[in-house]
């Protein structure tokens, strides 16, 4: 994997960027589009935590990278997105 990856996702359906319990391997910056970060209630109901829009980053991703914890939620595309993925070693070097 390279140090930087440009992601262009134009889904014809919902696309999960990360799943609850996944290891966090990249810092994501949304260049354009929208991603919602969700968790699920015990009954399976979706709970929206927040939205990441153009120019934004994921607070949970930042927290997971710094603490080396797995994702406690899911990231789901709401629209076509263009994002920059920065590999964890590069993120750690910069910080």
């Amino acid at each position: 994997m390279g140090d930087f990856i440009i992601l262009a996702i134009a889904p014809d359906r919902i696309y999960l960027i990360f799943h609850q319990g996944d290891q966090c391997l990249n810092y994501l910056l949304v260049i354009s589009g929208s991603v919602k970060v969700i968790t699920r209630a015990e009954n399976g109901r979706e709970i929206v935590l927040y939205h990441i829009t153009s120019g934004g980053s994921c607070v949970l991703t930042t927290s997971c990278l710094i603490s080396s914890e797995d994702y406690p939620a899911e990231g789901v595309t709401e629209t076509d997105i263009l994002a920059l993925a920065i590999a964890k070693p590069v993120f750690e070097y910069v910080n």
Side-chain angles (χ1 to χ4, degrees), residues 2 11 27 43 46 50 61 63 69 90-91:
Y27 180 72
N43 64 2
E46 180 180 290
Y50 57 91
T61 297
S63 174
E69 297 288 330
V90 175
F91 177 84

Side-chain angles (χ1 to χ4, degrees), residues 7 9 15-19 22 28 35 75-77 81:
L7 301 173
I9 302 172
Y15 183 85
L16 268 64
I17 297 174
F18 55 86
H19 296 83
D22 282 353
L28 295 174
V35 175
V76 182
T77 58
I81 67 162

Side-chain angles (χ1 to χ4, degrees), residues 53-76:
T53 56
S54 300
S57 63
C58 180
V59 175
L60 285 179
T61 297
T62 305
S63 174
C64 291
L65 283 170
I66 291 170
S67 66
S68 296
E69 297 288 330
D70 294 338
Y71 279 110
E74 299 176 358
V76 182

